Amino acid sequence: VTYKLFLHENPVDILFVVDWPMPAERQVGSLFLNHVKSGFEKACQKAGITLGNCQVISVFDDAPANDDWTLWVKRITKTQRPGFTTFRGKAVLHFIPEAARQLRVQIETYKPRVIVPMGNIALWLLTGNDSIDKWRGSMLRNPESSEWAGYWFIPTYSPHDVLRNYKWHAIQIVDLKRALGCVNRTEGRPKTNYLIAPTYEQTIQFLDGILSRAKQPGANIPIVCDVEIKQQRVICVGIGINRTDAICIPFYTATGIYWPIEQWVDVVCKLREVLCHPGVFLSNQNIAFDIQYLWADYFIWPQAAFDTMVAQNVLYSGTQKSLDYLASGYCDWYVYWKDDGKFWKEDIEDSRLWRYNCDDCTYTFEVMEKQQLALEAANLTAQNSEQTEILNAALILMMRGVRVDVSLKNRTLADIQSLTDMLRWELADLAGRDLWATKGLSSDRIAKLFYDTMKFPRVIDPKTKQATCNDEALKKFKKQDPIVGPLVDRINMIRSYATAANVCLAKVDSDGRWRTSYNVAGTSTYRFSSSENPFGSGTNLQNITSGRKLDT
């Protein structure tokens, strides 16, 4: 059940628990073995970990076929499959409970200061949590669903997975550094001071406290404002003033409105005064999203001073920019929390949502502070300020929108649909079959035509690793056999018409305008990305097919 890579006296500093042994003597052979081991050792070396003080064990002697863990561990369903038993909330094969027992024996033998689950199965067996993508980097102490309380658990990716996806290598190093930092750590996360379910007096007092500081000469008081949305309305607003202190101001509960109308008006007015005060340094993650809702619901349109998502794009363009990813790298005390917000959709207790809202604020506050230091060290503070100015300019575009000639739009849509119908029948005549599905061209039918009937060599999409008939593939088909040129041309024309039709079908607001959401940090090249806004109107106005292209 276990495989020992490094032997030494116990107790050990760090116990690495991998899903299956690093010596993978299966289909991939010893070359894979050497790369996995070498990559793991390099990651530990870069993290400052001395492997002589550590131990590596594995949960299983081998992995399931094609590394498909659902063959061994499944979700519990009403119809239990033969050979499976229930264990820790999962349907598992018979040897899984024994593997867990052996794992406990190993942990009790080595008495590690820190345990690093490496992979989904190790994470689940040790902490009861699912998804290493979510929980990696978390500092778990006394996991509720684990019988191994008292240890630090710092999950990270499996060495086998890092070898297959090398962009995770740098992320794994960050996680290993966190594990090393917990070796001699005994204290837990600093206590948070969250004001949830506040009274009217507490809310006004909290906001007045910010205002009193902001009104001081030369003040630049940093705060984080985060909103939570349900059914396209703001149900609560969180304000964080440092890494541990925050308030959640509810407006709706699961049963109705939180404030009497007079207090509601007072709170909104006071909130507007705080957020729009020139002495306040307003920050958040993807702040443009929040401002759109604050304006739509409460006519609050503050100036953004700092956006952690924009700052990450300035610092490390092309990397992930989600808040949990940023917190896992920047925050001293990090535990994955983002799933708590999803539970609100299931109408759980209000207090859980309010605490989640405060967590968003305090984590974002610490990320902001660390990013400011990183920007200064990299001499990128001015560039980030410029990007923030562009963000505020983009907000004007989002709020005002662009006027739409609705009658011309409808006529254009009718023309496009007429041309598409004509092309559909021409395409069916050339292909000898109908390539249409319910919503338009069928990608599956096109693939069967070119690969199964015409026997063209398969073109594999580098992202999906599946056969594709995208634009690049069609160009190759046309070059290989010009006789399919008319067929390819009509497929491309129909796809171009579909893009234009989707624009014409986009929802127009009641004042006859399209309001599009622009993401300043949406691309690694600093080009805007655009899409429909949070309220379901507007569209991607940067990707409209030109009339000249349609005419061809």
Side-chain angles (χ1 to χ4, degrees):
V1 175
T2 62
Y3 177 85
K4 302 176 182 60
L5 186 61
F6 306 101
L7 299 176
H8 50 76
E9 297 297 326
N10 35 293
V12 299
D13 288 342
I14 302 175
L15 180 67
F16 298 97
V17 181
V18 296
D19 288 341
W20 48 281
M22 280 192 253
E25 303 287 1
R26 298 181 298 136
Q27 300 174 358
V28 289
S30 60
L31 182 62
F32 184 77
L33 177 162
N34 293 332
H35 284 320
V36 169
K37 180 179 177 182
S38 175
F40 171 72
E41 291 174 342
K42 288 179 180 178
C44 289
Q45 182 180 8
K46 291 178 181 178
I49 295 175
T50 302
L51 287 174
N53 299 327
C54 305
Q55 181 71 27
V56 180
I57 64 175
S58 60
V59 180
F60 304 108
D61 292 330
D62 205 347
N66 300 318
D67 298 338
D68 182 4
W69 290 99
T70 61
L71 297 175
W72 291 5
V73 180
K74 298 177 179 291
R75 295 181 181 274
I76 295 178
T77 60
K78 293 182 180 179
T79 56
Q80 191 76 291
R81 293 185 60 182
F84 281 79
T85 185
T86 301
F87 181 70
R88 292 185 184 169
K90 301 280 188 181
V92 303
L93 292 179
H94 63 90
F95 57 85
I96 303 294
E98 175 60 21
R101 191 189 69 80
Q102 291 287 343
L103 189 59
R104 181 173 183 175
V105 171
Q106 292 290 316
I107 291 174
E108 292 175 347
T109 299
Y110 290 111
K111 296 181 174 59
R113 294 181 175 89
V114 178
I115 300 173
V116 179
M118 306 185 80
N120 282 313
I121 297 299
L123 170 70
W124 167 64
L125 284 176
L126 290 168
T127 70
N129 296 312
D130 279 323
S131 181
I132 197 70
D133 283 324
K134 295 178 178 180
W135 289 93
R136 52 135 297 271
S138 295
M139 304 170 65
L140 302 175
R141 185 78 164 174
N142 301 331
E144 294 180 2
S145 56
S146 172
E147 65 267 39
W148 300 305
Y151 296 102
W152 281 111
F153 291 86
I154 316 294
T156 191
Y157 293 114
S158 164
H160 310 86
D161 293 334
V162 171
L163 183 60
R164 298 186 181 101
N165 194 341
Y166 196 71
K167 68 180 181 180
W168 289 347
H169 178 69
I171 300 174
Q172 186 184 62
I173 292 172
V174 173
D175 297 341
L176 295 178
K177 286 182 178 180
R178 189 182 295 276
L180 181 63
C182 288
V183 168
N184 295 314
R185 180 171 286 174
T186 57
E187 74 279 10
R189 181 185 179 186
K191 184 179 179 181
T192 55
N193 300 307
Y194 293 165
L195 183 55
I196 62 174
T199 64
Y200 170 76
E201 291 75 17
Q202 288 174 323
T203 302
I204 298 299
Q205 183 181 4
F206 189 96
L207 296 176
D208 277 338
I210 298 174
L211 279 174
S212 64
R213 292 187 295 145
K215 291 177 180 178
Q216 298 298 318
N220 196 29
I221 306 302
I223 67 170
V224 167
C225 173
D226 180 70
V227 306
E228 301 302 333
I229 309 299
K230 186 178 183 182
Q231 296 176 351
Q232 293 194 342
R233 66 183 180 185
V234 177
I235 54 176
C236 63
V237 177
I239 303 289
I241 57 176
N242 53 43
R243 300 183 186 185
T244 58
D245 296 81
I247 184 175
C248 176
I249 305 173
F251 288 99
Y252 296 93
T253 68
T255 57
I257 298 175
Y258 187 83
W259 305 101
I261 187 63
E262 298 83 2
Q263 294 181 358
W264 181 300
V265 173
D266 287 347
V267 169
V268 170
C269 290
K270 185 67 69 174
L271 184 63
R272 181 188 296 114
E273 187 179 358
V274 168
L275 297 182
C276 298
H277 197 283
V280 167
F281 186 86
L282 181 62
S283 308
N284 197 24
Q285 165 83 0
N286 192 11
I287 195 169
F289 176 87
D290 297 61
I291 291 176
Q292 288 179 80
Y293 271 104
L294 287 170
W295 174 249
D297 280 9
Y298 304 122
F299 297 103
I300 300 175
W301 185 346
Q303 285 285 107
F306 195 95
D307 188 318
T308 52
M309 188 172 70
V310 173
Q312 182 70 7
N313 201 45
V314 172
L315 282 165
Y316 305 107
S317 179
T319 61
Q320 298 180 50
K321 294 182 282 287
S322 63
L323 180 57
D324 56 316
Y325 174 79
L326 299 183
S328 73
Y330 289 108
C331 295
D332 292 335
W333 297 92
Y334 166 71
V335 177
Y336 177 73
W337 79 102
K338 294 302 289 183
D339 279 350
D340 290 344
K342 296 178 182 179
F343 295 136
W344 171 248
K345 298 177 181 178
E346 302 172 8
D347 292 324
I348 65 159
E349 67 276 10
D350 295 314
S351 60
R352 187 167 182 178
L353 172 75
W354 299 337
R355 179 163 293 277
Y356 165 83
N357 185 218
C358 290
D359 278 336
D360 273 358
C361 293
T362 52
Y363 275 121
T364 303
F365 198 99
E366 184 172 0
V367 170
M368 173 196 67
E369 290 184 321
K370 297 290 183 62
Q371 284 181 331
Q372 287 177 323
L373 295 175
L375 288 165
E376 184 178 351
N379 197 26
L380 291 172
T381 301
Q383 183 174 337
N384 183 68
S385 298
E386 179 183 326
Q387 288 293 304
T388 306
E389 290 178 10
I390 294 173
L391 168 63
N392 283 304
L395 270 166
I396 298 175
L397 299 178
M398 299 184 211
M399 301 298 194
R400 291 181 177 175
V402 294
R403 288 187 295 177
V404 180
D405 187 331
V406 177
S407 61
L408 178 58
K409 178 180 74 70
N410 293 336
R411 291 198 304 271
T412 303
L413 178 60
D415 290 342
I416 291 172
Q417 291 173 338
S418 176
L419 290 169
T420 301
D421 289 340
M422 179 185 68
L423 285 170
R424 173 182 177 180
W425 299 116
E426 290 182 6
L427 182 62
D429 185 56
L430 289 168
R433 66 188 70 179
D434 189 5
L435 300 180
W436 220 253
T438 304
K439 296 183 179 180
L441 276 178
S442 168
S443 298
D444 291 340
R445 293 183 185 182
I446 294 174
K448 289 180 180 179
L449 174 65
F450 282 101
Y451 294 133
D452 297 342
T453 303
M454 297 185 180
K455 305 299 182 183
F456 277 94
R458 294 181 180 273
V459 178
I460 304 300
D461 188 304
K463 292 183 178 180
T464 64
K465 309 301 181 184
Q466 302 293 324
T468 180
C469 285
N470 58 19
D471 291 344
E472 293 300 319
L474 292 180
K475 288 179 182 178
K476 291 182 180 180
F477 301 154
K478 188 174 179 179
K479 187 175 181 179
Q480 292 170 12
D481 191 349
I483 199 172
V484 302
L487 180 66
V488 169
D489 290 342
R490 280 159 179 78
I491 292 174
N492 285 332
M493 290 174 69
I494 291 173
R495 286 176 173 175
S496 294
Y497 283 137
T499 301
N502 286 335
V503 172
C504 293
L505 289 168
K507 178 184 175 182
V508 180
D509 289 332
S510 58
D511 60 354
R513 287 179 175 267
W514 266 331
R515 288 178 172 82
T516 292
S517 283
Y518 292 98
N519 187 351
V520 175
T523 68
S524 58
T525 59
Y526 296 97
R527 177 181 64 81
F528 284 15
S529 64
S530 64
S531 62
E532 70 175 31
N533 68 13
F535 312 105
S537 65
T539 184
N540 178 4
L541 293 180
Q542 300 183 113
N543 191 29
I544 300 177
T545 305
S546 67
R548 183 174 63 256
K549 185 173 181 180
L550 288 178
D551 290 338
T552 60

